[in-house]
Amino acid sequence: MSGPKKRMRDSFLQAMKERMAAARDVFFLTADFGSPVLDGVRKDFPDRFVNVGISEQNLVNVATGLALEGFRVVAYAIAPFITMRCLEQIRINLAILSQIRPLNVTLVGVGAGYSYEVSGPTHQALEDIAVMRALPNVGVWSPADAATAAAMAHRALDGIGVRYLRLDSHPLPDLGPAPTPDELKRGFRLGGSAGAAAAIVATGYMSHLAGGVRDELEAGGIPVRTVDLMDLAAPDLAALAAELAPCRAILTLEEGFVGRGGMDSLLGQHLAPLLPKAKWTHAGLEPHYHFEIGPRDDLLAAQGLSRPALAARLIDRINA
Amino acid sequence: MHVNVGELKKQAARVRAETLRIHAAAPETRVASSLSAVEIYVCLFYGGLLRHNPADPRDPARDRLIVSKGHGSISLYPILADRGFFPKEELRRVCRPGSFLGGIPDPVIPGYETVNGSLGHGPGVGAGMALALKRQGSDRRVVVVTGDGELHEGAVWEAFLFAAQHKLDNLILIVDDNSRCMMDDTARVVGLAPLADKFRAFGWSAAEVDGHDVEALAAAIGAAQTGDFPGPRAVIAQTVKGKGAPSLEGDPLCHVRTLTPQEVEELTGGAP
């Protein structure tokens, strides 16, 4: 990790603000969830900004109605609330309806994983990847840094369809250069050593931890390929398999429950068959709620998600 | 507005008979819920209360109709066919393999706007459409039809608050208040009375009307659409679930009742 830390939501909202200034068909909804940058959106575009109040079900339904009438809609709330409080509204009015009628709706959830580290399980998004992955016609986008979040804002407005954008609440350094359009299209970007026999595939905040594990292993003479998986619904798995073809050991790393339909399921079910020689290990949160308060990295380390523990886990796969 | 009462009555009788015939051929359909709403759909489509264009079902100049009680709109099928949204022959294929006319309608059917099989979504989506139309400067209206049991869903009350907050005077809600949900009388499950007062307390105008009296119903819908109330408008159409089929009208469980072909034949006076 290096460089100044920036909030994903700030870069996303700044990009949206610029697009709202340039086009009159972008509408912003929030479920009483704000930020200083969003205050600017509210001030500059009062005719295209509505706070629906603490009502995520209505947030999604109103977003649908606006989108049916031609607006490109952003709906903004806390991550577990905008995915699970209103899951049926998303299923009926976005996933099913968008298969029949074109809609452009971007659901933005802030608070990926343990982001809200002192708020406990109600505010932590631990199941959102699995839940949203289950819905056809809904993209699941997971940026690891502010530059990626901004790029995804533009990609959402330039496309058509429905997607869930999972933002971290903490300021984070850029993982690397902003993703290129081609990387966004493929849904992943690469780091570390090309041709390495070991790889870590991670998403969001965990892509930063993956970089730390990689650096530690490479300092010890073990080359590692890292993959920042940005698209958790429909990445270009054939392209990813081609990049990881030399790998004999692959660690997946996510800040969500393992074995419950998250990124590990996506990769285990759909990528692993394309890489039959690789030995896999899936790291994430144990399927259990935790009520401990703590620095995020301590909460993760308590579940074996620390640099040394993960490095040891990958080495174990390399040596298996 | 001049309304041809005789024509509306004639259409209601035809639609009721055709609904029963559809049900006879497709007993999976929810006939009791569909029969209570016949006059609502008839008034909208034959009473000049819903601008529509069968040649272009998504014509921007149309009024938007959201049939939130989707299961209870089999009686809309013969109306849409008659108006030319799709060929009348399709009415003979309801619920058959390959037909787009299912037991619960989806917007693959010309004339339907949204997905309606799950209850409680229409008011919120309709509020979003109404807000969009106002912000776009359109004078088109959004008409949402719900049942009364459907108002048990909490999301509709979120939408009612929202619509009042934004003074969506282009949003018309028609409640097919047939007083029954699936397992019992609504009042014996979770009562909604006084419903009109609830709407007024939420910032809506509310009118109560006999939902089978086409003259009164058309007048109430027309008044709701053209009145100067500065907010959303509700028309509570008091109806009878299973209207026109005596064995359904008296049965608290009529929602899930199926009429036999013989019953339908007696009610409709034989084959069309």
Side-chain angles (χ1 to χ4, degrees):
Chain A
M1 294 188 186
S2 61
K5 292 183 177 182
K6 291 173 278 187
R7 288 187 196 277
M8 293 180 191
R9 72 177 191 204
D10 289 345
S11 64
F12 175 86
L13 293 171
Q14 187 58 42
M16 276 297 161
K17 190 163 174 254
E18 291 162 10
R19 295 296 293 263
M20 288 176 79
R24 290 202 46 81
D25 68 337
V26 182
F27 208 112
F28 202 104
L29 298 172
T30 178
D32 202 35
F33 182 61
S35 83
V37 180
L38 193 56
D39 287 341
V41 173
R42 171 164 54 172
K43 176 172 166 291
D44 290 354
F45 309 104
D47 59 333
R48 285 178 286 137
F49 173 92
V50 167
N51 180 355
V52 304
I54 306 164
S55 56
E56 290 79 10
Q57 297 176 75
N58 201 47
L59 172 76
V60 173
N61 285 349
V62 169
T64 302
L66 288 163
L68 284 170
E69 296 300 331
F71 281 107
R72 293 178 282 175
V73 185
V74 179
Y76 184 74
I78 294 175
F81 307 158
I82 201 171
T83 52
M84 288 173 270
R85 179 62 174 243
C86 48
L87 179 60
E88 216 238 357
Q89 278 73 24
I90 298 171
R91 178 175 181 267
I92 297 289
N93 294 317
L94 298 179
I96 298 177
L97 183 57
S98 71
Q99 191 168 307
I100 302 170
R101 300 186 63 179
L103 300 172
N104 190 333
V105 176
T106 304
L107 304 173
V108 183
V110 178
Y114 277 152
S115 284
Y116 290 118
E117 56 208 332
V118 302
S119 300
T122 57
H123 284 58
Q124 293 164 352
L126 311 173
E127 314 90 338
D128 59 325
I129 295 173
V131 166
M132 299 306 283
R133 265 197 72 227
L135 298 171
N137 309 317
V138 177
V140 181
W141 295 358
S142 173
D145 53 28
T148 305
M152 287 178 172
H154 294 295
R155 182 170 170 76
L157 291 185
D158 292 339
I160 188 72
V162 177
R163 75 286 304 178
Y164 163 55
L165 186 57
R166 182 185 206 246
L167 302 184
D168 208 280
S169 69
H170 281 280
L172 293 170
D174 283 339
L175 195 64
T180 64
D182 187 53
E183 286 172 326
L184 285 169
K185 188 177 172 192
R186 291 191 305 173
F188 65 88
R189 61 179 162 169
L190 299 163
S193 302
I200 307 172
V201 185
T203 193
Y205 181 76
M206 300 308 256
S207 285
H208 296 269
L209 180 55
V213 176
R214 175 199 63 213
D215 293 347
E216 197 161 298
L217 287 169
E218 293 202 328
I222 301 172
V224 175
R225 194 52 146 158
T226 46
V227 178
D228 173 34
L229 196 63
M230 299 180 283
D231 182 338
L232 299 178
D236 185 342
L237 291 174
L240 183 53
E243 296 287 353
L244 299 183
C247 291
R248 295 296 172 268
I250 299 176
L251 167 71
T252 72
L253 180 55
E254 65 196 294
E255 201 178 20
F257 293 139
V258 284
R260 298 291 166 126
M263 188 184 78
D264 57 338
S265 299
L266 167 69
L267 299 177
Q269 290 173 4
H270 301 291
L271 184 62
L274 305 178
L275 297 166
K277 292 179 182 168
K279 295 185 175 67
W280 292 72
T281 183
H282 300 295
L285 304 175
E286 57 193 59
H288 184 78
Y289 294 103
H290 290 268
F291 302 94
E292 296 83 3
I293 307 297
R296 185 181 201 171
D297 289 340
D298 289 358
L299 297 176
L300 294 171
Q303 298 187 58
L305 304 176
S306 64
R307 279 194 203 184
L310 291 165
R313 199 159 164 174
L314 186 55
I315 289 170
D316 176 68
R317 289 290 85 192
I318 294 168
N319 295 332
Chain B
M1 182 187 302
H2 173 71
V3 172
N4 185 335
V5 175
E7 173 66 11
L8 293 180
K9 286 182 177 174
K10 189 178 116 192
Q11 289 294 350
R14 176 187 69 80
V15 168
R16 185 161 272 114
E18 289 199 29
T19 301
L20 287 164
R21 290 190 193 104
I22 290 170
H23 175 67
E28 306 92 333
T29 51
R30 295 296 190 210
V31 67
S33 298
S34 298
L35 289 173
S36 64
V38 164
E39 283 79 7
I40 294 171
Y41 305 135
V42 164
C43 285
L44 289 172
F45 279 91
Y46 297 100
L49 296 168
L50 188 85
R51 288 164 284 201
H52 57 283
N53 180 4
D56 180 7
R58 304 268 192 259
D59 185 341
R62 76 196 186 284
D63 291 322
R64 280 63 164 164
L65 172 64
I66 297 182
V67 189
S68 196
K69 54 166 288 174
H71 65 283
S73 68
I74 303 308
S75 45
L76 189 52
Y77 290 0
I79 295 173
L80 293 174
D82 181 60
R83 300 307 280 182
F85 282 87
F86 52 79
K88 290 180 181 174
E89 299 76 58
E90 293 293 336
L91 297 176
R92 305 291 161 248
R93 304 204 307 133
V94 174
C95 291
R96 294 205 182 153
S99 173
F100 57 82
L101 297 171
I104 292 177
D106 286 311
V108 294
I109 303 172
Y112 279 86
E113 298 274 354
T114 55
V115 178
N116 308 293
S118 171
L119 296 177
H121 295 285
V125 175
M129 295 170 95
L131 177 67
L133 292 169
K134 285 184 81 73
R135 296 289 164 97
Q136 291 166 342
S138 170
D139 65 353
R140 301 297 101 165
R141 302 186 187 103
V142 180
V143 177
V144 179
V145 179
T146 69
D148 60 312
E150 181 174 3
L151 303 186
H152 288 158
E153 290 283 2
V156 304
W157 298 95
E158 293 182 10
F160 296 159
L161 288 168
F162 177 89
Q165 177 71 29
H166 293 280
K167 299 187 174 8
L168 300 179
D169 56 7
N170 56 344
L171 178 64
I172 317 296
L173 177 76
I174 304 175
V175 181
D176 176 16
D177 185 11
N178 60 32
S179 302
R180 284 189 189 142
C181 43
M182 189 154 84
M183 291 179 63
D184 209 335
D185 292 346
T186 310
R188 289 162 54 90
V189 178
V190 173
L192 295 160
L195 185 55
D197 287 344
K198 283 188 171 68
F199 277 108
R200 292 179 191 121
F202 270 61
W204 288 56
S205 72
E208 296 173 284
V209 63
D210 180 342
H212 298 303
D213 178 340
V214 288
E215 185 172 14
L217 179 60
I221 297 171
Q225 291 183 340
T226 57
D228 57 3
F229 182 78
R233 297 98 188 268
V235 174
I236 301 168
Q238 290 155 341
T239 60
V240 175
K241 197 159 181 171
K243 176 71 173 176
S247 70
L248 298 178
E249 290 183 19
D251 183 354
L253 292 172
C254 64
H255 185 93
V256 291
R257 275 276 313 282
T258 299
L259 295 173
T260 65
Q262 292 74 22
E263 283 179 284
V264 170
E265 193 169 333
E266 287 167 17
L267 289 167
T268 59

